[in-house]
Amino acid sequence: MKRLLKIELKKILTYKVFWILMGLYFVFLILGILMAGFIINSWVDEVNKHIPIAIPHVRFYFFPDIWQNLTFFASIRYILIFPAIVIIILITNEFTNKTIRQNVVNGMSRNEFLFSKLQVIFFMALFITFILAAGILILGISNTDAQGMAMIFKKMSFAGGFFIQIFSFMIFAFFLGFLLRNTGLSIAIFTLYALIIEPVLYFILKIPKLQPNNISQFLPVNSVVRVVEYPYFPMLKNFMGLRIQEQLSLLDCVVPLIYSAVMIGIVYFVLSKKDL
Amino acid sequence: MEKVLSIQGISKRYGRIQAVNGLFLEISRGQVFGLLGPNGSGKTTTLSILLDLVRNDSGSFEWFGEPPSKESRKRIGSVIESPNFFPYLSAVRNLRIVADIKGKPYDDIDEALTLTGLYDRRNDRFKTYSFGMKQRLAVASALLGNPDVLILDEPTNGLDPQGIAQMRDLIRMIAQKGITIVLASHLLDEVQKICTHVAVLRKGIKLFDGEVSEVLAVSELVEVSSENMEALKEAISGHAEYKSLTRSEDKWLVYFKNPVRPGELNEYMHRKGIVLTHLSERKRTLEQHFLELLNDNR
């Protein structure tokens, strides 16, 4: 296991494209997180000009809600897509450079190949989650008053939810890249599906007549987004009736993991049967 | 002789094309074994099956007397088709990945790069290499960790004459170390120069196999004619070195087991009371011989 990870690190760590995309990702992630609270409260100020009783500011960077707020912003599709694209590039590179063939010829089993890629996805997801959690702790501690500090770990489970989100989303990307074997095509289809096709499909399925039993929430990308569906703004609940979570729901967490398991199963099956 | 590879009736079909058709083969330690056949005869498919890249439809094979596994592949160095490496990594970094996969130390890397003449360029990225250098890096990678067997698929394909000469010298040098070599080629000349044993393939079927000196032996060929062709035929078939003959217009084409000098033959016929009206030596080229081998079994 350590040997496979060592091999993967050799493939990745000197790869410029990897660093550029991951760099861009962290820039977007950090900017997004830092600006989100400011944007939201200026929006609240705007609303307050038109209504008699002022809405209080959202306590965006305060414990414990900061866990939920920041994992929500970190898991919107437009930011999540970056590490997914990195994964697509890493897996399709193996096919376009034919290095998967060379690895197998040299004595890596097909299962080891799959396992090594899953390790990359797992540890990348873990690393990103860790960075985000560190950021949340720093921002939270510098913004929360003494009273709030008692609640520091209350909603930490949202970091776990974020891990499930980013891990599953990268597995989806891995799945598509593995099946298509072509970098450009995989990125185009994945981006198109995640950012346009599925939201449209979701919207259509939301029409009450078409979906008596809430089927739209089980669309794959939506199942990921749904794990942390909204930031903790109680007023949204009051005004718009949105489903604001107090805690993670087990069902929400399990659905994307089931998708991931099925996709890994399909890749395992195809890899063991197909010619390389 | 210790068996390195034993193939029992493997077959592979791609849609309507039967790429390999019930192939049996045995390769022993120390042989330099040539798989000879025209393009599309199933050489690459066979090697791909042996290396777990392609799944065979039926039949089985054993490496080192055991069912194939990743462990057996670690004892085999392979150069298959084009050289496959990460373009953005240097030769050394690419070879470290290979060594990691094979579970071998990095100590051999410098030696392999020196042997293949790449040591000076070892820290340059793979994508900056010429085709000949890429091909030699593939050989260097195959040599890591002292393999028991080296598999080479058309190793001189696409190389310039100098590159071809270097590659052949390299292969001979490796063969001298006692490493068993399996070499696929469509070039008869190449197989004859390098190999000790050969199997000739056509359309996925093995036509012959054996020692190169037997299978590819070029018998001597002489054209003769005389007034009485039947008497000539009878007389010449009594010659000690006679092998076979065929009629070609008004002449006999006579094959001998060993070279026979024209003067000696003339004297022999004279003693038998036959006057030759025509006598000439004909050398068949190796390529002609190869084509005949393939045609005989159509």
Side-chain angles (χ1 to χ4, degrees):
Chain A
M1 179 170 157
K2 214 173 147 193
R3 167 179 153 262
L4 294 176
L5 195 63
K6 204 173 125 196
I7 292 169
E8 288 305 310
L9 284 178
K10 283 205 174 69
K11 293 177 184 177
I12 293 170
L13 291 183
T14 47
Y15 187 35
K16 234 185 259 169
V17 176
F18 174 82
W19 289 109
I20 292 172
L21 280 173
M22 289 310 281
L24 274 176
Y25 169 65
F26 280 111
V27 168
F28 271 86
L29 186 65
I30 291 163
L31 280 182
I33 283 169
L34 291 179
M35 285 167 60
F38 173 75
I39 291 171
I40 280 164
N41 280 330
S42 50
W43 176 75
V44 170
D45 290 338
E46 191 60 33
V47 172
N48 282 345
K49 286 179 191 164
H50 306 287
I51 51 176
I53 307 157
I55 307 170
H57 271 189
V58 176
R59 292 161 66 86
F60 195 79
Y61 298 115
F62 278 55
F63 287 121
D65 299 333
I66 182 173
W67 290 105
Q68 186 170 0
N69 297 340
L70 294 196
T71 51
F72 165 79
F73 279 97
S75 66
I76 59 178
R77 295 161 203 247
Y78 300 95
I79 296 183
L80 226 44
I81 199 104
F82 277 88
I85 287 174
V86 170
I87 291 297
I88 288 178
I89 292 173
L90 290 182
I91 179 67
T92 53
N93 265 355
E94 296 277 359
F95 287 103
T96 49
N97 297 328
K98 290 191 178 173
T99 39
I100 178 174
R101 290 167 59 94
Q102 203 60 48
N103 287 351
V104 168
V105 162
N106 287 337
M108 189 185 265
S109 73
R110 294 172 183 224
N111 290 345
E112 279 179 336
F113 180 83
L114 171 60
F115 187 60
S116 69
K117 292 297 171 208
L118 293 181
Q119 275 191 325
V120 170
I121 295 172
F122 180 84
F123 284 112
M124 257 176 76
L126 203 64
F127 178 73
I128 294 169
T129 306
F130 178 78
I131 295 286
L132 182 67
I136 288 172
L137 283 173
I138 293 167
L139 276 172
I141 288 168
S142 53
N143 283 294
T144 310
D145 51 31
Q147 197 188 346
M149 289 302 276
M151 308 284 238
I152 186 165
F153 297 119
K154 191 186 166 202
K155 283 191 170 179
M156 201 182 175
S157 62
F158 278 92
F162 176 77
F163 174 80
I164 291 174
Q165 289 182 300
I166 195 154
F167 177 78
S168 307
F169 204 64
M170 287 197 284
I171 291 287
F172 296 178
F174 168 73
F175 175 72
L176 192 76
F178 178 85
L179 291 186
L180 296 181
R181 298 182 173 196
N182 175 307
T183 314
L185 190 67
S186 306
I187 292 176
I189 290 182
F190 189 81
T191 311
L192 211 63
Y193 178 79
L195 301 188
I196 297 170
I197 297 175
E198 210 197 88
V200 170
L201 208 60
Y202 180 78
F203 182 75
I204 293 170
L205 287 174
K206 261 243 147 160
I207 298 168
K209 275 184 196 163
L210 285 176
Q211 61 131 23
N213 41 14
N214 266 349
I215 199 97
S216 62
Q217 65 174 307
F218 295 115
L219 288 169
V221 177
N222 191 66
S223 78
V224 167
V225 171
R226 202 180 148 83
V227 173
V228 187
E229 198 170 14
Y230 296 105
Y232 193 75
F233 302 161
M235 59 173 178
L236 287 178
K237 193 177 195 172
N238 301 339
F239 287 121
M240 298 159 81
L242 295 177
R243 189 187 73 122
I244 306 290
Q245 298 147 288
E246 290 295 332
Q247 272 301 334
L248 293 174
S249 122
L250 185 64
L251 178 68
D252 291 344
C253 292
V254 165
V255 175
L257 289 178
I258 290 174
Y259 269 115
S260 302
V262 169
M263 286 178 190
I264 293 169
I266 292 172
V267 169
Y268 173 81
F269 181 77
V270 171
L271 193 60
S272 61
K273 294 281 171 221
K274 224 177 153 186
D275 298 339
L276 295 175
Chain B
M1 269 297 230
E2 188 191 339
K3 289 270 172 294
V4 169
L5 172 65
S6 151
I7 303 178
Q8 284 107 22
I10 55 170
S11 296
K12 174 70 181 180
R13 174 179 282 278
Y14 292 114
R16 283 163 59 192
I17 296 159
Q18 187 72 47
V20 180
N21 195 349
L23 181 69
F24 286 83
L25 212 58
E26 301 250 297
I27 297 178
S28 304
R29 180 164 301 284
Q31 290 180 348
V32 180
F33 199 100
L35 280 178
L36 180 63
N39 293 329
S41 57
K43 306 183 295 287
T44 298
T45 305
T46 301
L47 295 183
S48 299
I49 291 170
L50 296 176
L51 294 169
D52 192 36
L53 292 175
V54 168
R55 297 287 196 221
N56 45 320
D57 301 329
S58 58
S60 66
F61 60 94
E62 286 186 344
W63 279 111
F64 314 108
E66 290 164 11
S69 69
K70 61 176 179 161
E71 296 309 323
S72 59
R73 289 202 300 284
K74 286 176 186 170
R75 298 172 62 184
I76 304 167
S78 322
V79 180
I80 292 283
E81 294 167 342
S82 55
N84 304 324
F85 293 99
F86 287 96
Y88 53 86
L89 294 181
S90 68
V92 171
R93 285 180 193 275
N94 267 305
L95 291 189
R96 280 185 189 157
I97 290 178
V98 175
D100 284 343
I101 292 173
K102 286 183 180 278
K104 303 282 164 76
Y106 297 158
D107 309 351
D108 302 350
I109 290 178
D110 282 356
E111 194 195 331
L113 286 171
T114 308
L115 191 69
T116 49
L118 293 169
Y119 188 75
D120 292 339
R121 294 282 308 271
R122 67 189 182 282
N123 291 321
D124 292 347
R125 280 178 294 172
F126 176 68
K127 64 178 166 192
T128 65
Y129 282 18
S130 71
F131 185 76
M133 295 168 72
K134 288 179 177 176
Q135 194 75 338
R136 276 182 280 144
L137 182 61
V139 176
S141 139
L143 288 175
L144 284 186
N146 288 321
D148 295 323
V149 184
L150 193 62
I151 291 184
L152 302 163
D153 187 10
E154 305 278 5
T156 57
N157 231 7
L159 297 180
D160 58 20
Q162 194 197 354
I164 291 175
Q166 286 173 344
M167 185 60 75
R168 288 185 183 163
D169 286 345
L170 187 58
I171 295 169
R172 270 190 287 259
M173 210 152 75
I174 295 161
Q176 276 167 11
K177 289 182 172 180
I179 295 175
T180 309
I181 296 180
V182 184
L183 172 104
S185 179
H186 65 280
L187 302 170
L188 178 68
D189 168 57
E190 183 160 284
V191 169
Q192 220 199 9
K193 280 183 178 156
I194 299 173
C195 299
T196 59
H197 292 71
V198 66
V200 181
L201 302 185
R202 190 170 65 90
K203 293 188 177 167
I205 295 170
K206 183 178 76 183
L207 302 181
F208 316 94
D209 64 339
E211 286 185 28
V212 166
S213 52
E214 282 172 19
V215 176
L216 300 181
V218 180
S219 52
E220 295 299 307
L221 182 62
V222 175
E223 280 180 5
V224 285
S225 69
S226 112
E227 296 291 333
N228 186 343
M229 292 296 277
E230 287 309 306
L232 173 61
K233 180 182 175 183
E234 204 182 305
I236 208 160
S237 54
H239 191 278
E241 297 295 335
Y242 171 83
K243 196 172 168 194
S244 68
L245 94 182
T246 54
R247 181 102 192 206
S248 157
E249 293 169 17
D250 58 341
K251 294 169 197 126
W252 291 117
L253 292 180
V254 188
Y255 295 90
F256 290 101
K257 295 170 197 158
N258 288 305
V260 176
R261 281 183 294 114
E264 183 198 322
L265 186 64
N266 201 356
E267 203 185 309
Y268 173 80
M269 299 315 291
H270 206 75
R271 266 188 275 132
K272 295 270 177 181
I274 286 164
V275 179
L276 296 175
T277 55
H278 174 88
L279 169 65
S280 72
E281 247 186 331
R282 237 171 69 177
K283 296 261 185 211
R284 287 184 308 165
T285 65
L286 289 166
E287 262 65 28
Q288 264 175 342
H289 182 63
F290 181 37
L291 291 174
E292 279 167 33
L293 281 179
L294 296 177
N295 286 335
D296 286 350
N297 281 270
R298 185 155 286 166

